[in-house]
Amino acid sequence: MRRVGLIVLVLLVVALAVAAQFVDLPDGAQLRALVDRAGGWAPIAFVAVCAAGTAVFFPKPVLATAAGLLFGVGWGSALAIIGFTAGAMIAFGVARGLGRETVKGWLGARLAVLERVFERRGVEATLVIRLLPVLPFTLANYGAGVTSVRGRHFALGTALGLVPSTVLAAVLGDALSDLGSPRSIVALAIWAVLAAVGVWWGRNLITGALRAS
């Protein structure tokens, strides 16, 4: 799902770049002026969109990038993390209500791996799955709901694990008007490094869980 999100994000940027050649599109400053005129409802609405989008498999990178474009890096990152964490907990709660058999149909063998990982280290496991580009974010939320991980550990690990990728996406969103700027290039490079670290860390954690079982 994250791979799909990145593809959608790239297509969105390309579409905006093409449209900008023919249409007078609003820039970041103009969009933020519209957000400011909306008052306190704008951040509330955005958090709600992030929460709902997370629960229904909408690509998270698109929303995180929009957060930076609309609210700036700091405020946008905070709003997105709150929304994503809320959405993750919605999925977590729904999965617990639906039961293991229903969720198992979505995840298959991956559910057993998640169970073994969460049995050992709840917060650390949640941190890892937020960095793993090969494990869909929303499916992991539903899968966690029918494992032994405690809700508070899952919420804490989710909020902390979302910080790096969300901030970097917000930086990219803030720099959408100039994708060739140094900060956007640095953000992309750091994002790639985090993905590589997440894969390495996740493989070690999963291998350890399988050996322990």
Side-chain angles (χ1 to χ4, degrees):
M1 188 60 62
R2 181 170 296 184
R3 193 173 303 170
V4 173
L6 290 175
I7 293 173
V8 172
L9 176 58
V10 171
L11 291 175
L12 177 62
V13 172
V14 172
L16 287 173
V18 173
Q21 303 301 315
F22 304 98
V23 182
D24 186 18
L25 295 174
D27 58 21
Q30 292 171 322
L31 288 173
R32 288 177 192 173
L34 291 174
V35 169
D36 289 341
R37 285 199 290 272
W41 287 107
I44 294 173
F46 188 77
V47 168
V49 168
C50 286
T54 298
V56 298
F57 298 86
F58 190 84
K60 183 169 63 66
V62 174
L63 293 171
T65 304
L69 178 63
L70 296 175
F71 298 96
V73 177
W75 188 222
S77 297
L79 292 174
I81 290 169
I82 292 170
F84 295 152
T85 303
M89 295 309 296
I90 290 172
F92 183 91
V94 167
R96 294 221 157 156
L98 291 175
R100 185 180 183 87
E101 290 306 312
T102 300
V103 176
K104 187 177 180 180
W106 303 342
L107 289 174
R110 286 178 293 185
L111 179 58
V113 175
L114 280 175
E115 178 62 56
R116 294 190 187 103
V117 170
F118 281 123
E119 279 178 354
R120 301 182 71 219
R121 301 169 184 174
V123 175
E124 182 184 350
T126 308
L127 278 168
V128 169
I129 65 174
R130 299 315 175 201
L131 296 174
L132 277 173
V134 296
L135 189 61
F137 181 80
T138 303
L139 280 181
N141 296 335
Y142 283 103
V146 292
T147 67
S148 60
V149 66
R150 295 182 178 179
R152 63 176 181 273
H153 290 169
F154 184 70
L156 176 61
T158 294
L160 294 177
L162 282 169
V163 171
S165 61
T166 303
V167 170
L168 288 171
V171 169
L172 292 177
D174 189 49
L176 262 181
S177 60
D178 184 13
L179 287 175
S181 64
R183 63 175 175 167
S184 63
I185 294 172
V186 169
L188 283 170
I190 296 175
W191 206 351
V193 170
L194 282 173
V197 171
V199 171
W200 172 80
W201 189 8
R203 284 179 178 172
N204 286 344
L205 188 61
I206 291 171
T207 299
L210 292 174
R211 286 175 179 171
S213 63

